[in-house]
Amino acid sequence: MTITAAALQLAFTDEMDADIAATVAEVRKAAAAGAQVILPPELFQGYYFCRHEHDSFFSRAFPATAHPAIEAMQKVAKETGTYIPASFFERDGPHYYNSLAMIDDRGEVMGIYRKSHIPDGPGYEEKFYFRPGNTGFKVWDTRHGRIGVGICWDQWFPETARAMMLMGAEILFYPTAIGSEPAEPNLDTRRMWIRAMVGHAVSNVVPVVAANRTGVEEDQRFYGNSFIADQRGDILSELTTDETGHVIASFDLEEVRANRAAFGFFRDRRPDLYGRLAEDR
């Protein structure tokens, strides 16, 4: 079985309708290039608002069943026959989450994943807005293979990738919004970010797809560099800091599965020794 995956990289205007429309247009381009699963960046409905703590930004949240971004992605997924893991700001009664709707090739929502790890620091003050996710990690069966999807800060945790692999994921996707550090202007996390996810690819022998935004939003610059790495950790398709567009690559999942078995990482696991990992101290 072969899967062709794409990740989108866009610069946003903070006009929700325009940003959603730009994302839809890039989905169509990726689908025309042969992509079967297409990943937009995290919270593609406008600027990454979490640099500030303002109660006015809670108005950007909608229920999963009535979110303009989800509705638009459902329509274009059905039109193009593609699967779209779509990130959105979710309102569920009095609770707010950084969530993702997994949309199938008929335009139906297969389910919701809520971001498990929520960061809090200068420029990325997400704990003001989002509760920690209560869905657990998720994997999704598509006609092209089983995929796992984490959201941004999840990507720094090897436990996220390993948990999705143990649930049967055959390829991992991470929508993200990451760029400059307002409190540390000389710190460039771009290389760390790439190495962390390439590490997931290598230690799990699995392809990894990463979608980031680009452009300047107020005083924060997002560094793009969206990429797709194969199960060996080699980057097959990538964009630069300033480019917009998409990355795309195809994988023979039978070959990937054989490579994973040959490395023996899952054969040689010792869960009986890993109890310390679940201790909260």
Side-chain angles (χ1 to χ4, degrees):
M1 179 180 290
T2 299
I3 187 170
T4 301
L8 312 185
Q9 182 166 297
L10 300 107
F12 298 110
T13 66
D14 211 31
E15 293 292 334
M16 184 173 67
D17 291 345
D19 290 333
I20 292 173
T23 305
V24 167
E26 197 59 44
V27 166
R28 291 196 180 105
K29 291 179 184 177
Q36 298 161 326
V37 183
I38 301 173
L39 180 71
E42 182 186 24
L43 299 172
F44 60 86
Q45 301 90 52
Y47 279 179
Y48 178 74
F49 56 87
C50 304
R51 71 175 53 78
H52 304 296
E53 293 188 4
H54 290 325
D55 56 7
S56 62
F57 288 137
F58 285 101
S59 66
R60 299 186 177 210
F62 296 86
T65 55
H67 199 294
I70 302 307
E71 292 171 349
M73 292 301 109
Q74 288 182 271
K75 182 178 179 180
V76 73
K78 183 176 181 179
E79 171 192 326
T80 58
T82 58
Y83 291 80
I84 302 176
S87 168
F88 68 105
F89 187 10
E90 181 187 7
R91 185 179 79 237
D92 180 20
H95 299 147
Y96 294 81
Y97 298 94
N98 187 335
S99 298
L100 180 138
M102 186 65 224
I103 300 168
D104 70 15
D105 55 355
R106 299 168 299 168
E108 300 295 327
V109 174
M110 301 171 70
I112 302 293
Y113 168 65
R114 290 169 172 165
K115 186 173 179 177
S116 300
H117 303 94
I118 309 297
D120 184 53
Y124 303 91
E125 298 174 30
E126 294 196 14
K127 281 188 168 67
F128 181 77
Y129 297 100
F130 311 129
R131 287 168 60 91
N134 57 5
T135 60
F137 300 121
K138 294 279 191 178
V139 297
W140 315 93
D141 286 314
T142 77
R143 290 193 298 111
H144 314 290
R146 178 173 284 191
I147 71 172
V149 187
I151 302 174
C152 201
W153 195 231
D154 288 335
Q155 71 206 355
W156 294 95
F157 294 82
E159 296 88 348
T160 304
R162 181 53 56 88
M164 291 190 290
M165 293 302 296
L166 292 172
M167 296 167 72
E170 297 174 291
I171 182 170
L172 302 181
F173 292 78
Y174 293 97
T176 193
I178 189 168
S180 60
E181 300 288 336
E184 297 186 67
N186 295 321
L187 175 62
D188 179 3
T189 60
R190 177 180 55 87
R191 293 186 300 277
M192 296 166 55
W193 172 70
I194 293 171
R195 284 194 291 261
M197 283 188 290
V198 166
H200 300 326
V202 172
S203 62
N204 291 286
V205 194
V206 67
V208 169
V209 181
N212 193 18
R213 63 180 61 207
T214 186
V216 177
E217 300 179 8
E218 297 183 21
D219 61 346
Q220 199 164 16
R221 181 178 182 84
F222 292 87
Y223 50 61
N225 281 262
S226 301
F227 70 92
I228 300 176
D230 70 9
Q231 69 273 19
R232 307 293 197 195
D234 294 321
I235 294 178
L236 303 184
S237 183
E238 61 185 323
L239 292 170
T240 65
T241 294
D242 298 316
E243 287 181 287
T244 58
H246 64 269
V247 292
I248 188 168
S250 297
F251 298 96
D252 180 338
L253 295 181
E254 296 291 340
E255 178 184 351
V256 173
R257 188 178 302 115
N259 293 162
R260 186 179 306 119
F263 262 80
F265 293 152
F266 288 84
R267 178 197 65 210
D268 298 336
R269 291 180 68 248
R270 291 291 308 278
D272 55 310
L273 303 179
Y274 302 158
R276 183 69 178 86
L277 299 179
E279 295 178 12
D280 189 18
R281 58 182 174 84

